[in-house]
Amino acid sequence: SRFINTTPTKVVEEVYTPTHQFDTFGLNHKLVQKIASMGIDTPTPIQDQIIPEILKGNDVIGLAETGTGKTAAFLIPLVEKTLADDKRQTLIMAPTRELALQINEELRKLAKGLNMYSTVCVGGMNIGPQVKGLKQKNHFVIGTPGRLLDLIRQKHFDTKRITTVVLDEADRMLDMGFIHDMRKILSTVPTKRETLFFSATMTPEAKKLTSDFMQKPIEVSVKKQDVTTSIRQDVVPYKHDQKFETLVALLNKPEATRVIIFGSMKFAVKRLANDLVKAGIKADCIHGNKTHKQRVNALNA
């Protein structure tokens, strides 16, 4: 019964009425045009509430899940502030290289044609181009804590000019054991800075981090209700020799448009993906033995 919920609750989400539009935040008209050209027309709740606080220079704690528009919620005001002051430098920490690259991609779209430069510093990729990138002018340095700390220790990255630090998905970074790396990095950054903290949850460890490194932060919470009650969960019985056939029958149902299947071992995941392709189902696998490029290609496919 812990794993079965065949009658998910229908959640009627309240329609949020923003108090701002992108042209009423007081943003540079070039940036407003860029946001409009990206098809972003109305601020999400987190954007509506937190952009003014970041523009004022306040430290902020944003409690929001992925998919709430939080990346743009900190990038838009930071691009605006960088347009006004070319000497600003922002450090963005993220838990995974995929998220770091995604943030950089969104930054490039927002700052296209605005003469802004960024470098991504993440593990699992050649450090050489990252060292070279840090020697150039950078308004934004985006990376994972482990690689950033390596670059600081090797004196390739001087954090003395950092004016803003963003901790994105901070709870995930803490879960992954990055707490000491995060603390060491933050201790090298000037205390006179802005710190923007984004997390889906606020654990005691996260709370301690915010109290140690933030100045009178403004908290904005746009957390949704508990998601598990609204997800359909079921158990499918099968005969031992018909497990694969049962899975294929499920995947051939019209409602199975996009499916993630979790397996316990790399070789089993690879074999299953191959068997599904042979059965006429478009499939690919992602596991730890694949290179970053192979994983990105699988996600894009």
Side-chain angles (χ1 to χ4, degrees):
S1 63
R2 281 173 57 207
F3 303 108
I4 300 176
N5 176 25
T6 53
T7 52
T9 52
K10 283 272 186 286
V11 179
V12 181
E13 286 200 27
E14 288 178 38
V15 178
Y16 180 81
T17 309
T19 54
H20 305 88
Q21 291 301 319
F22 287 111
D23 58 359
T24 64
F25 282 121
L27 302 171
N28 184 300
H29 72 279
K30 286 183 185 173
L31 182 54
V32 174
Q33 285 172 348
K34 190 69 65 184
I35 294 164
S37 71
M38 289 168 67
I40 308 171
D41 47 8
T42 307
T44 65
I46 186 84
Q47 292 164 2
D48 184 45
Q49 294 172 49
I50 219 162
I51 287 174
E53 299 300 341
I54 298 172
L55 288 172
K56 283 181 207 163
N58 290 323
D59 282 8
V60 300
I61 295 171
L63 297 177
E65 293 108 337
T66 300
T68 51
K70 67 176 171 57
T71 306
F74 62 77
L75 285 180
I76 288 170
L78 292 177
V79 168
E80 170 66 27
K81 292 177 99 159
T82 309
L83 276 172
D85 178 6
D86 189 59
K87 290 189 172 67
R88 287 183 63 87
Q89 193 176 58
T90 296
L91 169 63
I92 302 173
M93 280 190 253
T96 63
R97 63 183 168 201
E98 283 78 12
L99 181 59
L101 290 162
Q102 202 177 308
I103 293 167
N104 191 50
E105 192 59 36
E106 199 158 334
L107 172 66
R108 285 194 168 169
K109 286 179 194 165
L110 271 173
K112 192 177 178 186
L114 299 177
N115 294 326
M116 268 178 219
Y117 307 101
S118 64
T119 290
V120 178
C121 303
V122 292
M125 295 177 86
N126 189 344
I127 200 167
Q130 297 174 15
V131 170
K132 193 177 172 189
L134 288 170
K135 287 178 180 164
Q136 315 297 320
K137 180 176 182 176
N138 286 296
H139 298 99
F140 291 84
V141 176
I142 305 162
T144 46
R147 177 54 61 93
L148 286 167
L149 192 56
D150 280 349
L151 289 160
I152 292 167
R153 281 175 170 160
Q154 291 172 33
K155 300 201 167 19
H156 294 304
F157 180 27
D158 181 9
T159 56
K160 295 285 182 287
R161 293 186 300 113
I162 299 288
T163 49
T164 305
V165 175
V166 181
L167 303 173
D168 193 18
E169 301 204 359
D171 49 349
R172 283 182 66 201
M173 286 195 277
L174 296 172
D175 285 346
M176 291 164 79
F178 283 132
I179 181 67
H180 299 301
D181 291 358
M182 290 161 78
R183 283 182 169 277
K184 280 172 189 161
I185 293 165
L186 287 167
S187 66
T188 70
V189 179
T191 49
K192 198 177 175 221
R193 61 159 191 268
E194 295 153 13
T195 308
L196 318 180
F197 182 99
F198 290 84
S199 184
T201 56
M202 188 51 102
T203 60
E205 205 174 26
K207 205 164 263 182
K208 178 88 172 71
L209 196 68
T210 58
S211 65
D212 288 351
F213 290 100
M214 298 180 82
Q215 308 288 326
K216 298 178 184 166
I218 308 288
E219 190 171 309
V220 173
S221 176
V222 295
K223 282 186 61 57
K224 295 174 181 174
Q225 49 87 55
D226 183 29
V227 79
T228 50
T229 55
S230 59
I231 292 179
R232 180 186 165 92
Q233 300 171 100
D234 210 344
V235 173
V236 179
Y238 62 91
K239 288 184 179 159
H240 184 67
D241 59 348
Q242 291 177 350
K243 183 178 183 182
F244 182 71
E245 288 72 16
T246 308
L247 175 62
V248 171
L250 281 171
L251 295 178
N252 277 322
K253 288 186 175 181
E255 61 265 32
T257 51
R258 299 183 81 190
V259 179
I260 299 179
I261 301 170
F262 291 95
S264 57
M265 289 172 283
K266 296 169 198 172
F267 81 90
V269 167
K270 184 181 176 182
R271 189 176 63 197
L272 178 58
N274 291 339
D275 289 346
L276 287 173
V277 171
K278 284 177 194 164
I281 288 162
K282 289 179 182 173
D284 205 341
C285 61
I286 295 177
H287 52 71
N289 282 0
K290 285 204 161 192
T291 64
H292 172 69
K293 190 170 188 298
Q294 288 172 323
R295 284 190 264 187
V296 170
N297 289 344
L299 285 170
N300 288 341

